[in-house]
Amino acid sequence: DAGITQSPRHKVTETGTPVTLRCHQTENHRYMYWYRQDPGHGLRLIHYSYGVKDTDKGEVSDGYSVSRSKTEDFLLTLESATSSQTSVYFCATLQGDRTGELFFGEGSRLTVL
Amino acid sequence: RKEVEQDPGPFNVPEGATVAFNCTYSNSASQSFFWYRQDCRKEPKLLMSVYSSGNEDGRFTAQLNRASQYISLLIRDSKLSDSATYLCVVTPSSNTGKLIFGQGTTLQVKP
């Protein structure tokens, strides 16, 4: 257990509203990730971070921004939510440096109406 | 072409059967390979890493074929509890902090 907490776990919002998902970890892991999971697409990387204030884009970063002001927190923001962003969002941390086991949070289910 | 591709299945097999999944990757310089397991509506969890020489963990065997750019997972003597989605994960060498998932292969083991 890597002590990863995602919040909120469930959220329903309307198109055009901003949404922020929070990932909190207690293991001081350097790397943190945000993935989204949709039927037929599996897990797709949105953004990841390799340290405080160090982030990079993944495969599906359009419409999303992230921030990491502290080692333990990685925030994912949808500036203006769209229905195509309805998904399950998973946060993960990486044990070790670059290679190793990914630990996932329990997921945040977001519905955009 | 996707960086990591898997046959989504589902694979429906009886208890006791042997089943194999393949996963292909497009970046020949990829460095690290893993299999994760995901139960319905749960988060993925590491099943096993895949080493160049192949490796085995109980009923599970993972192999890497760099020449053909695929990894495989073999499950022997399938149990009902093996029913899950199996995700292939690859670390591209261009940025080894970035892990790419295949879409997953669903296995359903029947009594």
Side-chain angles (χ1 to χ4, degrees):
Chain A
D1 184 3
I4 299 172
T5 305
Q6 291 185 228
S7 60
R9 294 289 315 284
H10 301 273
K11 186 172 181 68
V12 180
T13 191
E14 293 188 349
T15 297
T17 60
V19 176
T20 295
L21 305 180
R22 179 178 181 245
C23 179
H24 178 80
Q25 58 133 337
T26 60
E27 298 296 316
N28 204 37
H29 288 160
R30 179 184 170 197
Y31 283 85
M32 296 185 74
Y33 303 80
W34 276 108
Y35 287 89
R36 61 177 288 176
Q37 187 170 36
D38 306 286
H41 291 279
L43 280 153
R44 291 182 291 175
L45 182 63
I46 304 172
H47 282 279
Y48 67 103
S49 169
Y50 44 96
V52 173
K53 299 192 190 307
D54 291 323
T55 65
D56 203 353
K57 296 179 180 180
E59 308 164 78
V60 289
S61 58
D62 288 347
Y64 301 94
S65 63
V66 290
S67 66
R68 190 152 177 219
S69 58
K70 297 184 290 185
T71 298
E72 58 265 35
D73 290 326
F74 192 33
L75 304 181
L76 177 70
T77 296
L78 292 66
E79 300 291 347
S80 178
T82 66
S83 58
S84 65
Q85 294 176 311
T86 293
S87 188
V88 178
Y89 292 85
F90 285 101
C91 173
T93 66
L94 184 66
Q95 183 184 46
D97 194 22
R98 299 182 180 173
T99 61
E101 181 174 357
L102 274 177
F103 293 101
F104 284 84
E106 294 182 304
S108 295
R109 185 172 296 274
L110 175 66
T111 302
V112 184
L113 302 175
Chain B
R1 181 185 174 189
K2 292 182 180 179
E3 286 192 67
V4 180
E5 294 198 74
Q6 296 181 251
D7 179 348
F11 285 62
N12 295 301
V13 302
E15 270 187 292
T18 295
V19 62
F21 310 134
N22 281 344
C23 166
T24 59
Y25 58 95
S26 60
N27 185 343
S28 60
S30 295
Q31 292 296 309
S32 303
F33 308 89
F34 309 90
W35 284 103
Y36 277 71
R37 171 191 168 129
Q38 185 175 24
D39 294 308
C40 188
R41 303 180 83 82
K42 297 286 191 180
E43 71 274 20
K45 294 185 179 180
L46 180 67
L47 177 65
M48 59 197 303
S49 301
V50 186
Y51 303 121
S52 297
S53 55
N55 49 299
E56 187 174 306
D57 183 4
R59 297 180 294 107
F60 298 84
T61 300
Q63 291 192 312
L64 167 64
N65 185 318
R66 284 193 182 274
S68 300
Q69 293 180 212
Y70 75 86
I71 66 173
S72 63
L73 178 67
L74 181 77
I75 306 175
R76 291 181 299 278
D77 189 21
S78 299
K79 312 291 186 190
L80 295 177
S81 58
D82 294 333
S83 297
T85 297
Y86 292 85
L87 301 160
C88 167
V89 183
V90 174
T91 302
S93 68
S94 59
N95 187 330
T96 56
K98 188 175 175 179
L99 288 87
I100 305 299
F101 282 73
Q103 69 175 98
T105 297
T106 299
L107 172 66
Q108 186 67 44
V109 181
K110 306 284 190 182

